[in-house]
Coordinates of all heavy atoms in Angstrom, one line a residue:
G1 N -3.9 2.5 1.9 CA -4.6 3.8 2.4 C -4.2 5.0 1.4 O -3.5 4.8 0.5
L2 N -4.8 6.1 1.7 CA -4.6 7.3 0.8 C -3.3 8.0 1.3 O -3.3 8.6 2.4 CB -5.8 8.2 0.9 CG -5.7 9.4 0.0 CD1 -5.6 9.0 -1.5 CD2 -7.0 10.4 0.2
L3 N -2.2 7.9 0.6 CA -0.9 8.4 1.0 C -0.8 9.9 0.9 O 0.0 10.5 1.6 CB 0.2 7.6 0.2 CG 0.1 6.1 0.4 CD1 1.3 5.5 -0.5 CD2 0.3 5.7 1.8
Q4 N -1.5 10.5 -0.1 CA -1.4 11.9 -0.3 C -2.7 12.6 0.0 O -3.7 12.3 -0.5 CB -1.0 12.2 -1.7 CG -0.7 13.7 -2.0 CD -0.3 13.9 -3.4 OE1 -0.1 13.0 -4.2 NE2 0.0 15.1 -3.8
P5 N -2.7 13.5 1.0 CA -4.0 14.2 1.4 C -4.7 14.9 0.2 O -4.0 15.4 -0.7 CB -3.6 15.2 2.5 CG -2.2 14.7 3.0 CD -1.6 14.1 1.8
I6 N -6.0 15.0 0.4 CA -6.7 15.9 -0.6 C -6.7 17.3 0.0 O -6.9 17.5 1.2 CB -8.2 15.4 -0.7 CG1 -8.2 14.0 -1.3 CG2 -9.1 16.3 -1.5 CD1 -9.5 13.3 -1.3
V7 N -6.5 18.3 -0.9 CA -6.6 19.7 -0.4 C -7.9 20.2 -0.7 O -8.5 20.2 -1.7 CB -5.5 20.5 -1.2 CG1 -5.5 22.0 -0.7 CG2 -4.1 19.9 -1.1
I8 N -8.5 20.8 0.4 CA -9.9 21.4 0.3 C -9.9 22.8 0.8 O -9.0 23.3 1.4 CB -10.9 20.6 1.1 CG1 -10.5 20.6 2.6 CG2 -10.9 19.1 0.7 CD1 -11.6 19.9 3.5
T9 N -11.0 23.5 0.4 CA -11.2 24.8 1.0 C -12.7 24.9 1.4 O -13.5 24.2 0.9 CB -10.9 25.9 -0.1 OG1 -10.9 27.2 0.6 CG2 -11.9 25.9 -1.2
K10 N -12.9 25.7 2.4 CA -14.3 25.9 2.9 C -15.0 27.1 2.2 O -14.5 28.2 2.2 CB -14.3 26.1 4.4 CG -13.9 24.9 5.2 CD -14.1 25.1 6.7 CE -13.7 23.8 7.5 NZ -14.6 22.7 7.2
K11 N -16.1 26.7 1.6 CA -17.0 27.7 1.0 C -18.3 27.7 1.7 O -19.2 26.8 1.4 CB -17.1 27.5 -0.5 CG -15.9 27.6 -1.3 CD -15.3 29.0 -1.3 CE -14.0 29.1 -2.1 NZ -13.5 30.5 -2.1
G12 N -18.5 28.6 2.7 CA -19.7 28.5 3.5 C -19.7 27.3 4.3 O -18.7 27.0 5.1
E13 N -20.7 26.4 4.2 CA -20.7 25.1 5.0 C -20.1 24.0 4.2 O -20.0 22.9 4.7 CB -22.2 24.8 5.3 CG -22.8 25.8 6.2 CD -22.2 26.0 7.6 OE1 -21.8 25.0 8.1 OE2 -22.0 27.1 8.0
E14 N -19.7 24.2 3.0 CA -19.2 23.1 2.1 C -17.7 23.0 2.1 O -17.0 24.1 2.2 CB -19.7 23.3 0.7 CG -21.2 23.2 0.6 CD -21.7 23.3 -0.9 OE1 -21.0 24.0 -1.7 OE2 -22.8 22.7 -1.2
N15 N -17.2 21.8 2.0 CA -15.7 21.6 1.7 C -15.5 21.3 0.3 O -15.9 20.2 -0.2 CB -15.3 20.4 2.6 CG -15.4 20.7 4.1 OD1 -15.0 21.7 4.6 ND2 -16.0 19.7 4.8
I16 N -14.9 22.2 -0.5 CA -14.7 22.1 -1.9 C -13.2 21.6 -2.2 O -12.3 22.1 -1.6 CB -14.9 23.4 -2.6 CG1 -16.4 23.9 -2.3 CG2 -14.8 23.2 -4.1 CD1 -17.5 23.0 -2.7
I17 N -13.1 20.7 -3.1 CA -11.8 20.2 -3.5 C -11.0 21.3 -4.2 O -11.4 21.8 -5.2 CB -11.9 18.9 -4.3 CG1 -12.5 17.8 -3.5 CG2 -10.5 18.5 -4.8 CD1 -12.8 16.5 -4.3
V18 N -9.8 21.5 -3.7 CA -8.8 22.4 -4.5 C -7.9 21.5 -5.3 O -7.7 21.8 -6.5 CB -7.9 23.2 -3.5 CG1 -6.9 24.0 -4.2 CG2 -8.8 24.1 -2.6
A19 N -7.4 20.4 -4.8 CA -6.5 19.5 -5.5 C -6.8 18.1 -5.0 O -6.8 17.9 -3.8 CB -5.1 19.9 -5.3
G20 N -6.9 17.2 -5.9 CA -7.1 15.8 -5.5 C -8.4 15.1 -5.8 O -8.8 14.2 -5.2
E21 N -9.1 15.6 -6.8 CA -10.4 15.0 -7.2 C -10.3 13.6 -7.6 O -11.2 12.7 -7.3 CB -11.2 15.8 -8.2 CG -12.5 15.2 -8.5 CD -13.4 16.1 -9.4 OE1 -13.1 17.3 -9.6 OE2 -14.4 15.5 -10.0
R22 N -9.2 13.2 -8.3 CA -8.9 11.8 -8.7 C -8.8 10.9 -7.5 O -9.4 9.9 -7.5 CB -7.7 11.8 -9.6 CG -7.4 10.4 -10.1 CD -6.3 10.4 -11.2 NE -5.8 9.1 -11.5 CZ -4.9 8.4 -10.9 NH1 -4.2 9.0 -9.9 NH2 -4.5 7.3 -11.3
R23 N -8.1 11.4 -6.5 CA -7.9 10.6 -5.3 C -9.2 10.5 -4.5 O -9.6 9.5 -3.9 CB -6.9 11.3 -4.3 CG -5.5 11.4 -5.0 CD -4.4 11.8 -4.0 NE -4.6 13.2 -3.5 CZ -4.2 14.3 -4.2 NH1 -3.6 14.1 -5.4 NH2 -4.3 15.5 -3.6
Y24 N -10.1 11.6 -4.6 CA -11.4 11.6 -4.0 C -12.3 10.5 -4.6 O -12.9 9.7 -4.0 CB -12.0 13.0 -4.2 CG -13.5 13.1 -4.0 CD1 -14.1 13.2 -2.7 CD2 -14.3 13.1 -5.1 CE1 -15.5 13.3 -2.6 CE2 -15.7 13.3 -5.0 CZ -16.3 13.3 -3.7 OH -17.6 13.5 -3.6
R25 N -12.3 10.5 -6.0 CA -13.1 9.6 -6.7 C -12.6 8.1 -6.5 O -13.5 7.2 -6.3 CB -13.1 9.8 -8.2 CG -13.8 11.1 -8.6 CD -13.6 11.4 -10.1 NE -14.4 12.6 -10.5 CZ -15.4 12.6 -11.3 NH1 -15.8 11.4 -11.9 NH2 -16.1 13.7 -11.6
A26 N -11.3 7.9 -6.4 CA -10.8 6.6 -6.2 C -11.1 6.1 -4.7 O -11.3 4.9 -4.5 CB -9.3 6.5 -6.4
S27 N -11.1 7.0 -3.8 CA -11.5 6.7 -2.4 C -12.9 6.2 -2.3 O -13.2 5.3 -1.5 CB -11.2 7.9 -1.5 OG -9.8 8.3 -1.5
I28 N -13.8 6.9 -3.0 CA -15.2 6.4 -3.0 C -15.3 5.0 -3.6 O -16.0 4.1 -3.0 CB -16.0 7.4 -3.9 CG1 -16.1 8.8 -3.3 CG2 -17.4 6.8 -4.1 CD1 -16.9 9.8 -4.1
L29 N -14.5 4.7 -4.7 CA -14.5 3.4 -5.3 C -14.0 2.4 -4.2 O -14.4 1.2 -4.2 CB -13.7 3.3 -6.5 CG -14.3 4.0 -7.8 CD1 -13.3 3.9 -8.9 CD2 -15.6 3.2 -8.2
A30 N -13.0 2.8 -3.4 CA -12.4 1.9 -2.5 C -13.3 1.7 -1.3 O -13.0 0.7 -0.5 CB -11.0 2.5 -2.0
G31 N -14.3 2.4 -1.1 CA -15.3 2.2 -0.1 C -14.9 2.7 1.3 O -15.4 2.4 2.3
I32 N -13.9 3.7 1.3 CA -13.4 4.2 2.7 C -14.3 5.4 3.0 O -14.9 6.0 2.1 CB -12.0 4.6 2.6 CG1 -11.7 5.8 1.6 CG2 -11.1 3.4 2.3 CD1 -10.3 6.2 1.6
K33 N -14.4 5.7 4.3 CA -15.4 6.6 4.8 C -14.7 8.0 5.1 O -15.3 9.1 4.9 CB -16.0 6.1 6.1 CG -16.8 4.8 5.9 CD -17.9 4.9 4.9 CE -18.6 3.6 4.7 NZ -19.7 3.7 3.7
E34 N -13.4 8.0 5.5 CA -12.7 9.2 5.8 C -11.4 9.3 5.1 O -10.8 8.3 4.8 CB -12.5 9.3 7.3 CG -13.7 9.5 8.2 CD -13.3 9.8 9.6 OE1 -12.2 9.2 10.1 OE2 -14.0 10.5 10.3
V35 N -11.0 10.5 4.8 CA -9.7 10.7 4.0 C -8.9 11.8 4.7 O -9.5 12.7 5.3 CB -9.9 11.0 2.6 CG1 -10.5 9.9 1.8 CG2 -10.9 12.3 2.4
P36 N -7.6 11.7 4.6 CA -6.8 12.8 5.2 C -6.9 14.1 4.2 O -6.9 13.9 3.0 CB -5.3 12.3 5.1 CG -5.4 11.2 4.1 CD -6.8 10.7 4.1
V37 N -7.1 15.3 4.8 CA -7.2 16.5 4.1 C -6.3 17.6 4.6 O -6.0 17.5 5.8 CB -8.7 16.9 4.0 CG1 -9.6 15.9 3.4 CG2 -9.2 17.4 5.3
I38 N -6.0 18.5 3.8 CA -5.4 19.8 4.2 C -6.3 20.9 3.9 O -6.8 21.0 2.7 CB -4.0 20.0 3.5 CG1 -3.0 18.9 4.0 CG2 -3.5 21.4 3.8 CD1 -1.7 19.0 3.2
V39 N -6.7 21.7 4.8 CA -7.6 22.8 4.6 C -6.8 24.1 4.2 O -6.0 24.5 4.9 CB -8.5 23.1 5.8 CG1 -9.5 24.1 5.5 CG2 -9.2 21.7 6.2
K40 N -7.2 24.7 3.1 CA -6.6 25.9 2.6 C -7.7 27.1 2.6 O -8.8 26.8 2.1 CB -6.0 25.8 1.3 CG -4.7 24.9 1.2 CD -3.5 25.6 1.8 CE -2.2 24.8 1.6 NZ -1.1 25.5 2.2
N41 N -7.3 28.2 2.9 CA -8.2 29.4 2.8 C -7.8 30.1 1.5 O -6.9 30.9 1.5 CB -8.0 30.3 4.0 CG -8.9 31.5 3.9 OD1 -10.0 31.5 3.3 ND2 -8.5 32.6 4.6
V42 N -8.6 29.9 0.5 CA -8.3 30.5 -0.8 C -9.5 31.2 -1.4 O -10.6 30.9 -1.1 CB -7.8 29.4 -1.8 CG1 -6.6 28.8 -1.4 CG2 -8.9 28.4 -2.1
T43 N -9.1 32.2 -2.2 CA -10.2 33.0 -2.9 C -10.7 32.2 -4.2 O -10.0 31.2 -4.5 CB -9.7 34.4 -3.4 OG1 -8.7 34.1 -4.4 CG2 -9.2 35.1 -2.3
D44 N -11.7 32.6 -4.8 CA -12.2 31.9 -6.1 C -11.1 31.9 -7.1 O -10.9 30.9 -7.8 CB -13.5 32.5 -6.6 CG -14.7 32.3 -5.7 OD1 -14.6 31.3 -4.9 OD2 -15.7 33.0 -5.7
K45 N -10.4 33.0 -7.3 CA -9.3 33.2 -8.3 C -8.2 32.2 -7.9 O -7.7 31.5 -8.8 CB -8.8 34.6 -8.3 CG -7.6 34.8 -9.2 CD -7.1 36.2 -9.2 CE -5.9 36.4 -10.1 NZ -5.4 37.8 -10.1
E46 N -7.8 32.1 -6.7 CA -6.7 31.2 -6.3 C -7.1 29.8 -6.5 O -6.3 28.9 -6.9 CB -6.4 31.5 -4.8 CG -5.7 32.8 -4.6 CD -5.7 33.2 -3.1 OE1 -6.3 32.6 -2.3 OE2 -5.0 34.2 -2.8

């Protein structure tokens, strides 16, 4: 399973990756449907 969550932020209706794109891509290759995430509220600069 995915041991380290992907960090995302909400931009409008979209969930954008803050940290963990490599884990995101590998999860797609693994064929899993859902992943653990942590949601952060960050500005574009952050």
Side-chain angles (χ1 to χ4, degrees):
L2 186 60
L3 302 180
Q4 186 176 359
I6 296 170
V7 181
I8 63 172
T9 188
K10 291 189 176 294
K11 296 294 179 184
E13 298 299 317
E14 295 183 331
N15 296 313
I16 305 298
I17 296 174
V18 175
E21 183 171 341
R22 181 170 172 270
R23 298 191 293 278
Y24 163 81
R25 289 173 176 246
S27 296
I28 292 175
L29 286 178
I32 62 177
K33 303 300 181 183
E34 289 187 332
V35 291
V37 301
I38 294 175
V39 182
K40 292 284 189 181
N41 179 26
V42 297
T43 66
D44 289 340
K45 177 181 177 180
E46 291 164 352

